[in-house]
Amino acid sequence: MTDPTQATTLLVSCPDQRGIVAALAQVLYGHGANILDSDQHTDATAGVFFQRIRFECSDLRTDRSSLENAISEVAARMGMSWKLCEEGIPKRVALFVSRTDHCLFDLLLRHRSGELRCEIPLILSNHPDLEPVANQFGIPFHVVPITAENKASQEQQELVLLQEQRVDLVVLARYMQILTGDFIARYPNAIINIHHSFLPAFSGGRPYHQASKRGVKLIGATAHYATQDLDEGPIIDQDVIRTSHRDSVADLTRKGRDVERSVLSRAVRWHLEDRILVYANKTVVFA
Amino acid sequence: MTDPTQATTLLVSCPDQRGIVAALAQVLYGHGANILDSDQHTDATAGVFFQRIRFECSDLRTDRSSLENAISEVAARMGMSWKLCEEGIPKRVALFVSRTDHCLFDLLLRHRSGELRCEIPLILSNHPDLEPVANQFGIPFHVVPITAENKASQEQQELVLLQEQRVDLVVLARYMQILTGDFIARYPNAIINIHHSFLPAFSGGRPYHQASKRGVKLIGATAHYATQDLDEGPIIDQDVIRTSHRDSVADLTRKGRDVERSVLSRAVRWHLEDRILVYANKTVVFA
Amino acid sequence: MTDPTQATTLLVSCPDQRGIVAALAQVLYGHGANILDSDQHTDATAGVFFQRIRFECSDLRTDRSSLENAISEVAARMGMSWKLCEEGIPKRVALFVSRTDHCLFDLLLRHRSGELRCEIPLILSNHPDLEPVANQFGIPFHVVPITAENKASQEQQELVLLQEQRVDLVVLARYMQILTGDFIARYPNAIINIHHSFLPAFSGGRPYHQASKRGVKLIGATAHYATQDLDEGPIIDQDVIRTSHRDSVADLTRKGRDVERSVLSRAVRWHLEDRILVYANKTVVFA
Amino acid sequence: MTDPTQATTLLVSCPDQRGIVAALAQVLYGHGANILDSDQHTDATAGVFFQRIRFECSDLRTDRSSLENAISEVAARMGMSWKLCEEGIPKRVALFVSRTDHCLFDLLLRHRSGELRCEIPLILSNHPDLEPVANQFGIPFHVVPITAENKASQEQQELVLLQEQRVDLVVLARYMQILTGDFIARYPNAIINIHHSFLPAFSGGRPYHQASKRGVKLIGATAHYATQDLDEGPIIDQDVIRTSHRDSVADLTRKGRDVERSVLSRAVRWHLEDRILVYANKTVVFA
């Protein structure tokens, strides 16, 4: 059931060809939909077309399902992948955390101030530490401890929770566990991770110690969709912050927290506003 | 005469209404034009719709003028302002300078490296100092000295030069003269100026001395279209650079040069690529 | 009473002259103090010298007061203003807020994570709205409603509270009241305010509406010490964030919140770490 | 022979210990030198102390060599590495280029505008393409073609040229040849290279194609001293520029040029102003 006064977003991608824009615009106009925003991109090298159309349906001449049928017809003819997203149906988001609270607080405060259009039915952690934060915001908190031995079965329990809560998006807000391929496969392009990354990039543990040792002048963070290849998924956003020889590891850690939380929350917002299309392990972000 | 293998850009603005996107896409598709890029924006408050459509015409089913007629018809029906810009017909740009060369060099080097799609038939100055730079790049250099007394007549001479050279865009690349309203009226939204700007803003002379005195931590620059109200024209781009108490006036001046030249060249490039629409003394930049 | 294992910071300014660095270094070395950090600046135009020396006293050969006497002697000879700040005695900070919580949360979370070396004995507001936030963090919350009529007497009440709590620094974290000159005079260079600021600068209310109307491409914020001239006090830090025609007033407001909170918390941290010297209505920040 | 009215910079590093600042300040003061700027840093982890002192000698009570002897004595006592740099004796810089001119032009223009305090007695290239640029600026241009076979002998010829011209600093301004270890060993911490680098970093050829393929949202550049380990030398400066899906490889290349040239020229300026100290494969930059 959708509210016709709320906007709808259509995301499409397909092989590049003539007449795509006209065909979709015609369908929407013909049914009485009113286009609010439209953004389009063609990757000429890959020969792929992308479009995001945001429209509202308060004066729809037909009903919803006949509009969807018409889109579906165009899509079939042109080989489109497509998705209709309703602003009236906010996405349901699960936040995964461990012990660090800076990304969690940032997301919860932005949610409360209305910046993030979603519901947050649960926070899940492998540690009990952040339960008081969840309580402050009145969000159910689930502790699912993970060991090398029980990871598979515990993930099953997590997946049950996510299903029960009809979760659309998982945000790894400094969740210090590596998800299995099975888990990730259940939420394709629907798990957002935040990764510290530097110039040059450091893999492995204790990144801010590595950065300090290497004497880098910038530290950064990357938000990306989780894929089987750890930290190699499609990049959604990146940012950096300037550092100097005066920055101790503690200073780098503080600066890292700032850039991590702002990059992560921006990526989450873009996802919630249906601004991201994924292809060829990269993203088109209609920001 | 246009080259059908080069892209064409259509810029439109009109009162917001239904069916605009569909109508234009239909016209283009119907004539066999192939949309390469399309970007659209609605100012909901002002109720104005903007669109930039870049398309190519190599497989046009009809001829050019019938396409233009069709667009014209849609435009009339919907109350559109519109403009067709041909990449095959590079814009002709006059650079106005005084004695400072950093913006001039930046534009000439970017032009030579292919970043700026235009022809530069003349450089005009109220001082002879930069003639050697013009010579280096093989561009005719005109000295038109300006005094309080002769400004009106000298500007007439300048306008003659611009007309002879069929100039489309005037770039004030640190030209230290104030143009008269008459001059500006001849090139509406076709004169780009670069203006130092700060937080807080300083009016009057010697801005970097003022910035130093006030102890600002950022200095900036604004590129805008020249209008009758000096420095109050539609803003195209702005940027800032961080400063500190260690920066002398000389350092501020150096940093100011860097930010001025990068902001100006970006604004010029956007104009040359037909990415800017002006309304209500502000801009939509489809960058 | 000071803890000799904690560092001490000496801030000095004086007319520029020879031998300042040597004289201070000699005094510290002679008493067995160990210099950890030293930063120095000369404003050649104004002829003023500034230095920040951070040192620790665990192996002091004499006692504390003889060290202070020695510094005092040098200071008298050279016409210095000077201040000794003990890390072992954290500053006491009062947060003034109205209804907006983004700066408040940012400061409280950074405080809790150890980024801000201070105590926060009270939060004061002219509205009751943010009391739950204060409760969450276990900080006493005082409501002091202000009207045009009662401002003078209410400020007296505030000053009593500040004195009772031995407050060293007042942070106006989006406190929407203008303090009187009397109040400000009681805390010279010890009241930090955050001010939205733009290129060009807008005075008056509803700045983000003004920014939207003017079509600026950057919005910013300035943290400064409060002085009698509203918003004209010494600037501590500034930053900006990029905007575009796509940003609604709501988007500008969101971006404004982000830049406000990060600039304010940076300014507060620098003050707490005794990194700021004020002169001629501007600051030297040894960041 | 030095000009006493020009400033001198003393750079020192040594094991951290008490009394360093006092000892050096005392020596300078005692000889009548006037400290203009002093900046100091201690790497507490490595236990190393760094200082940069800029002073002028117009009222020196003794002569130059007795000042140097006194510094030398302190240095010996404290185990210091030290260097005295005279502003009156500008460094001599050789620019190495290949075919790309953006970094070359940027350095030459900044040199001409007085931003870079140095002499540029020669430009050296493995290709003849940029000779006209050298001619424009009146700088001798040497072509030294390099093949796999002749690299060792050609480098010998280059070294002869550098010696003849008493070159202090080699700047690799997009010089597309890898220098041998022998060459690099002759100019320790005196060869500055500019390296494209990204988040995550890309090694190997065609970096902008790689960046486009990976869909990064930032591209960057790193200026560093050349060492035997290619691109692993001490980092002097880094910067990034924001990119999006709309950026073609050509756009990335253009943005890359902008960030490369600004990072390189900043690193060169800092070196010329004796602001950089190297240790443990990283830098202290007193900027």
Side-chain angles (χ1 to χ4, degrees):
Chain A
M1 195 53 213
T2 62
D3 173 353
T5 67
Q6 300 260 18
T8 301
T9 297
L10 172 63
L11 291 174
V12 308
S13 63
C14 63
D16 192 25
Q17 59 201 287
R18 292 185 187 213
I20 312 174
V21 174
L24 290 173
Q26 198 50 56
V27 162
L28 292 171
Y29 181 59
H31 286 72
N34 186 27
I35 295 179
L36 302 171
D37 270 306
S38 164
D39 216 333
Q40 175 255 319
H41 173 65
T42 304
D43 180 331
T45 312
V48 188
F49 170 93
F50 306 89
Q51 193 169 17
R52 174 184 188 262
I53 310 176
R54 194 165 155 267
F55 57 93
E56 53 98 13
C57 298
S58 55
D59 293 341
L60 218 55
R61 280 187 216 121
T62 63
D63 63 1
R64 190 76 181 193
S65 61
S66 75
L67 174 62
E68 291 195 21
N69 286 341
I71 293 171
S72 176
E73 228 173 301
V74 171
R77 180 155 44 92
M78 296 191 150
M80 285 175 181
S81 302
W82 64 287
K83 191 160 61 163
L84 272 182
C85 315
E86 306 294 335
E87 287 180 16
I89 308 174
K91 290 188 176 45
R92 294 174 63 82
V93 178
L95 304 180
F96 279 38
V97 298
S98 289
R99 287 185 162 118
T100 314
D101 66 1
H102 61 283
C103 285
L104 177 62
F105 259 113
D106 199 65
L107 290 165
L108 292 175
L109 288 170
R110 289 181 192 276
H111 180 244
R112 196 159 77 181
S113 77
E115 289 182 24
L116 301 176
R117 197 178 56 217
C118 65
E119 287 164 5
I120 304 179
L122 80 156
I123 298 170
L124 188 151
S125 180
N126 54 331
H127 293 289
D129 308 46
L130 299 181
E131 178 149 23
V133 180
N135 291 344
Q136 266 176 229
F137 288 82
I139 297 176
F141 187 82
H142 300 265
V143 182
V144 184
I146 306 277
T147 64
E149 290 71 38
N150 72 8
K151 177 174 277 195
S153 61
Q154 293 293 73
E155 278 196 352
Q156 286 310 311
Q157 189 192 325
E158 291 171 357
L159 286 167
V160 168
L161 274 170
L162 299 185
Q163 256 184 317
E164 280 174 7
Q165 292 298 333
R166 289 164 294 118
V167 163
D168 301 297
L169 174 70
V170 174
V171 177
L172 307 179
R174 305 299 291 142
Y175 179 63
M176 304 310 281
Q177 288 291 322
I178 295 171
L179 300 173
T180 64
D182 281 354
F183 188 106
I184 289 168
R186 294 282 291 275
Y187 286 89
N189 299 330
I191 303 172
I192 296 179
N193 186 33
I194 182 71
H195 179 62
H196 46 72
S197 59
F198 304 92
L199 288 158
F202 300 119
S203 50
R206 311 224 309 168
Y208 298 111
H209 288 79
Q210 288 190 63
S212 176
K213 191 159 184 303
R214 184 67 184 87
V216 294
K217 305 301 186 186
L218 296 174
I219 59 169
T222 299
H224 63 95
Y225 287 116
T227 54
Q228 309 274 0
D229 279 335
L230 183 68
D231 296 331
E232 291 292 321
I235 294 171
I236 303 170
D237 196 27
Q238 305 185 291
D239 211 346
V240 294
I241 197 165
R242 190 161 278 276
T243 63
S244 83
H245 62 270
R246 294 194 190 280
D247 288 309
S248 63
V249 169
D251 293 321
L252 295 179
T253 305
R254 168 175 54 75
K255 290 184 171 184
R257 280 198 297 262
D258 280 2
V259 70
E260 284 169 5
R261 70 181 191 172
S262 71
V263 169
L264 178 60
S265 68
R266 207 154 53 214
V268 169
R269 182 164 51 80
W270 287 340
H271 181 98
L272 294 176
E273 296 176 357
D274 306 305
R275 297 182 177 280
I276 311 176
L277 284 152
V278 178
Y279 76 114
N281 204 39
K282 57 187 181 179
T283 62
V284 169
V285 179
F286 290 124
Chain B
M1 198 52 215
T2 61
D3 174 352
T5 67
Q6 300 260 19
T8 301
T9 297
L10 173 63
L11 290 175
V12 309
S13 63
C14 64
D16 192 25
Q17 59 201 286
R18 291 181 189 217
I20 311 174
V21 174
L24 289 173
Q26 197 52 55
V27 162
L28 292 171
Y29 180 59
H31 285 71
N34 186 27
I35 295 179
L36 301 171
D37 271 305
S38 166
D39 215 333
Q40 174 256 321
H41 173 66
T42 303
D43 180 330
T45 312
V48 188
F49 170 94
F50 306 89
Q51 193 170 16
R52 176 185 188 260
I53 310 177
R54 196 166 153 265
F55 57 92
E56 52 97 15
C57 298
S58 55
D59 292 340
L60 219 56
R61 278 187 217 122
T62 63
D63 64 1
R64 189 77 181 193
S65 61
S66 76
L67 174 62
E68 290 195 21
N69 286 341
I71 294 170
S72 178
E73 228 172 300
V74 171
R77 181 153 45 91
M78 296 191 150
M80 285 177 181
S81 302
W82 63 288
K83 192 161 61 162
L84 271 182
C85 314
E86 306 293 335
E87 287 181 16
I89 308 173
K91 290 188 174 48
R92 293 174 64 82
V93 178
L95 304 180
F96 278 38
V97 298
S98 289
R99 286 186 163 117
T100 313
D101 66 1
H102 61 282
C103 285
L104 177 62
F105 258 113
D106 199 65
L107 290 165
L108 293 175
L109 288 170
R110 288 181 193 276
H111 180 243
R112 197 160 77 181
S113 76
E115 288 182 24
L116 301 176
R117 199 178 55 219
C118 65
E119 286 164 6
I120 304 178
L122 80 156
I123 297 169
L124 189 151
S125 180
N126 54 332
H127 293 290
D129 309 45
L130 299 182
E131 178 150 23
V133 179
N135 292 345
Q136 266 177 229
F137 287 83
I139 298 175
F141 187 83
H142 300 265
V143 182
V144 185
I146 306 278
T147 64
E149 291 71 37
N150 71 8
K151 177 174 276 195
S153 62
Q154 293 294 73
E155 278 196 353
Q156 285 310 310
Q157 189 192 324
E158 291 171 356
L159 286 167
V160 169
L161 273 170
L162 298 185
Q163 257 186 316
E164 281 175 6
Q165 292 298 333
R166 290 163 294 119
V167 162
D168 302 297
L169 174 71
V170 174
V171 177
L172 307 178
R174 304 298 292 142
Y175 179 65
M176 305 308 281
Q177 289 291 322
I178 295 171
L179 300 173
T180 65
D182 282 354
F183 189 105
I184 288 167
R186 295 282 291 276
Y187 287 89
N189 298 331
I191 303 173
I192 296 178
N193 187 32
I194 182 71
H195 178 61
H196 45 73
S197 52
F198 305 91
L199 295 156
F202 300 120
S203 51
R206 311 224 307 167
Y208 298 110
H209 288 78
Q210 287 191 64
S212 175
K213 192 161 184 303
R214 184 67 182 85
V216 296
K217 305 301 186 188
L218 295 175
I219 60 171
T222 297
H224 63 96
Y225 287 115
T227 55
Q228 310 273 1
D229 279 335
L230 184 66
D231 297 331
E232 292 291 322
I235 294 170
I236 305 171
D237 195 27
Q238 306 185 291
D239 211 348
V240 295
I241 196 165
R242 189 159 279 276
T243 62
S244 83
H245 61 271
R246 295 194 189 280
D247 288 308
S248 63
V249 170
D251 293 322
L252 295 179
T253 306
R254 169 174 53 75
K255 290 183 171 184
R257 280 199 297 261
D258 280 2
V259 69
E260 283 169 4
R261 69 180 191 172
S262 71
V263 170
L264 178 60
S265 68
R266 206 153 52 213
V268 170
R269 181 163 53 80
W270 288 340
H271 182 99
L272 295 176
E273 296 176 357
D274 306 305
R275 297 183 178 280
I276 311 175
L277 284 152
V278 178
Y279 77 113
N281 203 39
K282 58 187 180 179
T283 61
V284 169
V285 179
F286 289 123
Chain C
M1 198 50 214
T2 61
D3 174 353
T5 66
Q6 299 260 17
T8 300
T9 297
L10 172 63
L11 290 175
V12 309
S13 63
C14 64
D16 193 25
Q17 59 201 285
R18 290 179 191 221
I20 311 173
V21 174
L24 290 174
Q26 197 51 56
V27 161
L28 292 172
Y29 180 60
H31 285 71
N34 186 27
I35 295 179
L36 302 172
D37 269 305
S38 165
D39 215 334
Q40 175 255 320
H41 173 66
T42 304
D43 180 330
T45 312
V48 187
F49 170 93
F50 305 90
Q51 193 170 17
R52 174 184 188 262
I53 310 177
R54 194 166 155 267
F55 57 92
E56 52 98 14
C57 298
S58 54
D59 293 339
L60 219 56
R61 281 188 214 118
T62 64
D63 65 0
R64 190 77 183 194
S65 61
S66 75
L67 174 62
E68 290 194 21
N69 286 341
I71 294 171
S72 178
E73 231 173 298
V74 171
R77 179 154 45 89
M78 296 191 149
M80 285 175 182
S81 302
W82 63 288
K83 192 162 61 162
L84 272 182
C85 314
E86 305 294 335
E87 287 180 15
I89 308 174
K91 291 187 176 45
R92 293 174 65 81
V93 178
L95 305 180
F96 278 37
V97 298
S98 289
R99 287 187 163 118
T100 313
D101 66 1
H102 60 282
C103 285
L104 177 62
F105 259 113
D106 199 66
L107 290 165
L108 293 175
L109 288 170
R110 289 181 193 277
H111 181 244
R112 197 160 75 182
S113 77
E115 289 182 24
L116 301 176
R117 199 178 55 218
C118 65
E119 287 165 5
I120 304 179
L122 80 156
I123 298 169
L124 189 151
S125 180
N126 54 333
H127 293 291
D129 308 45
L130 299 182
E131 179 150 22
V133 180
N135 291 344
Q136 265 177 229
F137 288 82
I139 298 175
F141 187 83
H142 300 264
V143 182
V144 185
I146 306 277
T147 64
E149 292 71 39
N150 72 6
K151 176 174 277 194
S153 61
Q154 295 292 74
E155 278 196 352
Q156 286 311 310
Q157 189 193 328
E158 291 170 357
L159 286 166
V160 168
L161 273 171
L162 298 185
Q163 257 185 316
E164 280 174 6
Q165 292 298 333
R166 289 163 295 118
V167 163
D168 302 296
L169 174 70
V170 173
V171 177
L172 307 179
R174 304 300 291 141
Y175 179 64
M176 305 310 281
Q177 289 291 321
I178 296 170
L179 300 173
T180 65
D182 282 353
F183 189 105
I184 288 167
R186 295 281 292 276
Y187 287 89
N189 298 331
I191 303 173
I192 296 179
N193 187 31
I194 182 72
H195 179 61
H196 46 75
S197 54
F198 306 92
L199 294 156
F202 301 118
S203 51
R206 310 224 308 168
Y208 298 110
H209 287 79
Q210 288 191 64
S212 175
K213 193 162 183 305
R214 184 68 182 85
V216 296
K217 306 301 185 187
L218 295 174
I219 60 171
T222 297
H224 64 94
Y225 287 115
T227 55
Q228 309 272 0
D229 279 335
L230 183 66
D231 298 330
E232 291 291 321
I235 295 170
I236 304 170
D237 195 29
Q238 304 185 292
D239 211 346
V240 294
I241 197 166
R242 189 160 279 276
T243 62
S244 84
H245 62 269
R246 295 194 189 279
D247 288 310
S248 64
V249 170
D251 293 321
L252 295 179
T253 305
R254 169 175 52 76
K255 290 183 170 183
R257 280 198 298 259
D258 280 2
V259 70
E260 284 169 3
R261 70 181 190 172
S262 71
V263 170
L264 178 60
S265 68
R266 206 153 53 213
V268 169
R269 182 163 52 80
W270 288 339
H271 182 99
L272 294 176
E273 297 177 356
D274 306 304
R275 297 182 177 281
I276 311 176
L277 284 152
V278 177
Y279 76 113
N281 204 38
K282 58 185 180 181
T283 61
V284 169
V285 179
F286 290 125
Chain D
M1 197 53 211
T2 62
D3 175 352
T5 66
Q6 299 261 18
T8 301
T9 297
L10 172 62
L11 290 175
V12 309
S13 63
C14 63
D16 192 26
Q17 59 201 286
R18 288 178 192 221
I20 312 174
V21 174
L24 290 173
Q26 198 50 56
V27 162
L28 292 171
Y29 181 59
H31 286 72
N34 187 24
I35 295 179
L36 302 171
D37 270 305
S38 166
D39 216 333
Q40 175 255 320
H41 173 66
T42 303
D43 180 331
T45 312
V48 188
F49 170 92
F50 306 90
Q51 193 170 18
R52 175 185 188 262
I53 309 177
R54 195 166 155 267
F55 57 93
E56 52 97 14
C57 298
S58 55
D59 291 342
L60 218 56
R61 282 189 214 119
T62 65
D63 64 0
R64 189 77 182 194
S65 61
S66 75
L67 173 61
E68 291 195 20
N69 286 340
I71 294 171
S72 177
E73 229 173 301
V74 170
R77 180 154 45 89
M78 296 191 149
M80 284 177 181
S81 302
W82 63 288
K83 190 161 61 162
L84 272 182
C85 314
E86 306 293 336
E87 287 181 16
I89 307 174
K91 291 189 176 45
R92 295 174 63 82
V93 178
L95 305 180
F96 279 37
V97 297
S98 289
R99 287 185 162 117
T100 314
D101 67 0
H102 61 282
C103 285
L104 177 62
F105 259 113
D106 198 66
L107 290 165
L108 293 175
L109 288 169
R110 289 181 191 276
H111 181 243
R112 196 159 78 182
S113 76
E115 288 182 24
L116 301 177
R117 198 178 57 219
C118 64
E119 288 164 5
I120 304 178
L122 81 155
I123 298 170
L124 189 151
S125 180
N126 54 331
H127 292 289
D129 308 44
L130 299 181
E131 178 149 23
V133 180
N135 292 344
Q136 266 177 227
F137 288 82
I139 297 175
F141 187 83
H142 300 265
V143 182
V144 184
I146 305 277
T147 63
E149 290 72 38
N150 71 7
K151 176 174 277 194
S153 61
Q154 294 293 73
E155 278 195 353
Q156 286 310 311
Q157 190 192 325
E158 292 171 356
L159 286 167
V160 169
L161 273 170
L162 298 185
Q163 256 185 317
E164 280 174 8
Q165 292 299 332
R166 290 165 292 119
V167 163
D168 301 298
L169 175 69
V170 173
V171 177
L172 307 179
R174 305 299 292 140
Y175 179 63
M176 306 308 282
Q177 289 290 323
I178 295 170
L179 299 174
T180 65
D182 282 354
F183 189 106
I184 288 167
R186 294 282 292 275
Y187 287 89
N189 297 332
I191 303 173
I192 295 179
N193 187 33
I194 182 71
H195 179 62
H196 46 74
S197 59
F198 304 93
L199 289 159
F202 300 118
S203 51
R206 313 225 307 166
Y208 299 111
H209 288 79
Q210 287 190 64
S212 175
K213 192 161 184 303
R214 184 68 183 85
V216 294
K217 304 302 185 187
L218 297 173
I219 60 170
T222 299
H224 64 95
Y225 287 116
T227 54
Q228 309 274 1
D229 278 335
L230 183 68
D231 297 330
E232 291 291 322
I235 294 170
I236 304 170
D237 196 27
Q238 305 185 292
D239 211 347
V240 294
I241 196 166
R242 189 160 280 276
T243 62
S244 83
H245 62 269
R246 294 193 189 281
D247 288 309
S248 64
V249 169
D251 293 322
L252 294 179
T253 305
R254 169 175 53 76
K255 290 184 170 183
R257 279 197 299 261
D258 280 3
V259 70
E260 283 170 4
R261 70 181 191 173
S262 71
V263 170
L264 178 60
S265 67
R266 206 153 53 212
V268 169
R269 181 164 52 80
W270 288 340
H271 182 99
L272 296 175
E273 296 176 357
D274 306 306
R275 296 182 178 280
I276 311 176
L277 284 152
V278 178
Y279 77 113
N281 204 39
K282 57 187 181 180
T283 62
V284 169
V285 179
F286 289 125

